[in-house]
Amino acid sequence: MGKKPAPPPDLVPGTLEMLILKTLTHGAMHGYGIAQRLDQLSEGVLQVGEGSLYPALQRLLLNEWAEAEWAVTENNRRARYYHITAAGRRRLAQERAGYDRMSVAIARVMEAV
């Protein structure tokens, strides 16, 4: 019997949008593909359900940080493909800078003696 995997960590608000935008910098993807990519790159730690993913994608569309269009998948199914916009790339850079600053601050606190 193996160990039961730890539950996925809660994401800081806004982090999912940042991760989706980063994923979209590699090209247009449909929602299922985005979720698979996040799961794969995080080695199973970030398993994003539809109840979180699609509202986040909708927020990206409303803020014009992403655009979407319908197309046919490699499995001959119709899916909505999302791609990052220029405004989305600027937003990703801002979010990344904030994330880096927060990450350093947390590390300083955790390593303090």
Side-chain angles (χ1 to χ4, degrees), residues 5-24:
D10 292 336
L11 291 175
V12 174
T15 305
L16 180 57
E17 288 84 350
M18 178 182 69
L19 297 173
I20 293 170
L21 287 174
K22 176 62 180 168
T23 300
L24 294 177

Side-chain angles (χ1 to χ4, degrees), residues 7-8 11 15 17 22 30 32-33 37-38 41 44-45 49 54 59 77 79 82 85 89 91 103 109-110:
L11 291 175
T15 305
E17 288 84 350
K22 176 62 180 168
H30 50 70
Y32 180 71
R37 184 78 175 149
L38 292 173
L41 290 174
V45 174
Y54 288 101
R59 287 190 294 275
R77 296 180 61 186
Y82 299 87
T85 63
R89 289 183 187 280
R91 180 64 180 183
S103 179
V109 171
M110 295 303 292

Side-chain angles (χ1 to χ4, degrees), residues 85-113:
T85 63
R89 289 183 187 280
R90 287 190 297 273
R91 180 64 180 183
L92 176 59
Q94 292 170 347
E95 290 291 327
R96 179 61 191 255
Y99 168 80
D100 289 345
R101 212 172 37 253
M102 182 63 73
S103 179
V104 168
I106 291 171
R108 286 182 181 149
V109 171
M110 295 303 292
E111 294 170 6
V113 281

Side-chain angles (χ1 to χ4, degrees), residues 29-37 50 53-54:
M29 299 181 80
H30 50 70
Y32 180 71
I34 293 168
Q36 281 189 314
R37 184 78 175 149
E50 291 180 11
L53 178 65
Y54 288 101

